[in-house]
Amino acid sequence: MTIGDRQQHSQQLSGGLHGADHDLLERLNAAHAEAQMVGWDFSRLDGTLISDSPWWDFETDCLQALRDSRIGALDLGTGGGERLSALLESLSQESAQPPVVVATEGWPPNVPVARAQLAPRHVAVLQYDSDADDVLGLPDQCQDLVMSRHESYDAAEVARVLAPGGRFLTQQVDGFDAPQIHEWFGSEYTHPDVTVDAHAEALREVGMRIDQVDHWEGSMQFKDAVALVTYIGLVPWDAPDFTVQAHAQRLSDLNTAAPITVTQRRFRIYATKE
């Protein structure tokens, strides 16, 4: 950036902030610009974000379901394959024979990341996005386990690929998650249809028996506004039109009052194919 560019940039920022800390704004812009998700990795927020977890243990439940799988397992929305790789590593340490596992990923930049991560585990990764009305490239009744952690899914496709008696385990981010971010930055909820009741009903309609339903609310606490805008950069769907310049004064106020607390909402549904 040239000296002239810096001066112009600083003038733009000062117009949005009315004289507050320009150094903070420079750091906010840099943090937001550099925050790009690769796989499903929030490590850049280590030490600046404290996050509650639901009272249930979804990973342990998935691990047990993988132990019980005899036909095959499907992991929807595997991200960069980090979570699935860890589950399969746990099975290998137990000397347990893992099932044949297939994974999907809908975000194109993550597909090669997941394939590289999961190739040593002999896991095929299919590019698949249920929000785009894709059809799973798998035969009917070929799986006895489908897992979906924070990934959209088509209930009819889940039921189609599950054999009778097969299980579906999902943990979802509620469509009304992070309400403070929506309030502060004026963003609409992009997935208001993602609620525990709507998802449970959709599964019932395709012949699934609901075994477990739970909803949870907790919090995540950001050390400062830099951590907050980093998070928004990693999960841009929470504030799709967010820019630091447009919300400079709000960010300055939040930084002054730090730490910054945001509400999390999650739900889980476990179901069985009748």
Side-chain angles (χ1 to χ4, degrees):
M1 181 181 288
T2 66
I3 292 175
D5 289 338
R6 286 197 201 94
Q7 289 174 339
Q8 182 180 14
H9 186 55
S10 181
Q11 289 168 358
Q12 290 172 340
L13 293 176
S14 66
L17 190 59
H18 307 296
D21 187 354
H22 291 171
D23 177 64
L24 169 64
L25 286 179
E26 293 288 355
R27 290 188 291 119
L28 292 173
N29 269 292
H32 188 248
E34 293 168 5
Q36 183 174 358
M37 185 65 77
V38 176
W40 192 244
D41 180 13
F42 288 89
S43 61
R44 68 171 55 227
L45 285 167
D46 288 352
T48 63
L49 169 61
I50 299 172
S51 182
D52 295 339
S53 297
W55 56 264
W56 60 80
D57 190 335
F58 187 70
E59 301 309 301
T60 295
D61 293 341
C62 287
L63 182 60
Q64 183 58 55
L66 282 166
R67 289 191 192 102
D68 295 339
S69 175
R70 295 294 178 266
I71 300 175
L74 172 63
D75 185 37
L76 296 173
T78 200
E82 306 90 346
R83 170 182 166 271
L84 180 57
S85 183
L87 288 170
L88 295 176
E89 175 62 23
S90 295
L91 284 182
S92 69
Q93 291 177 356
E94 299 172 4
S95 299
Q97 181 64 36
V100 176
V101 180
V102 177
T104 72
E105 176 54 28
W107 192 46
N110 268 353
V111 174
V113 177
R115 285 174 176 162
Q117 173 76 32
L118 293 170
R121 304 283 178 190
H122 307 291
V123 175
V125 179
L126 309 178
Q127 186 165 334
Y128 166 79
D129 182 1
S130 69
D131 283 338
D133 295 325
D134 291 349
V135 176
L136 278 166
L138 296 170
D140 295 355
Q141 301 186 9
C142 64
Q143 310 290 326
D144 60 0
L145 172 63
V146 177
M147 303 175 291
S148 173
R149 183 184 183 277
H150 301 181
E151 174 70 2
S152 67
Y153 63 88
D154 181 332
E157 279 293 274
V158 169
R160 181 183 67 79
V161 302
L162 276 174
R167 300 187 66 206
F168 177 51
L169 277 62
T170 185
Q171 176 177 295
Q172 293 289 323
V173 176
D174 189 282
F176 295 94
D177 184 61
Q180 293 85 355
I181 289 177
H182 294 272
E183 177 186 347
W184 293 332
F185 307 121
S187 56
E188 298 292 329
Y189 290 99
T190 55
H191 295 288
D193 55 321
V194 180
T195 67
V196 65
D197 291 340
H199 274 230
E201 182 57 30
L203 289 166
R204 290 188 187 98
E205 288 177 356
V206 295
M208 303 286 289
R209 183 187 73 234
I210 305 301
D211 303 317
Q212 182 83 43
V213 176
D214 291 293
H215 192 273
W216 170 86
E217 193 169 290
S219 67
M220 50 185 172
Q221 188 177 90
F222 299 93
K223 178 182 178 181
D224 52 24
V226 173
L228 176 62
V229 301
T230 299
Y231 176 81
I232 292 171
L234 294 173
V235 290
W237 47 86
D238 272 356
D241 300 320
F242 174 85
T243 66
V244 170
Q245 182 179 340
H247 301 286
Q249 187 62 55
R250 170 73 75 179
L251 289 165
S252 178
D253 293 344
L254 288 168
N255 196 68
T256 299
I260 303 164
T261 301
V262 172
T263 301
Q264 298 185 89
R265 291 173 177 149
R266 304 284 184 270
F267 63 84
R268 67 166 174 171
I269 303 175
Y270 298 169
T272 301
K273 172 78 172 289
E274 297 276 34

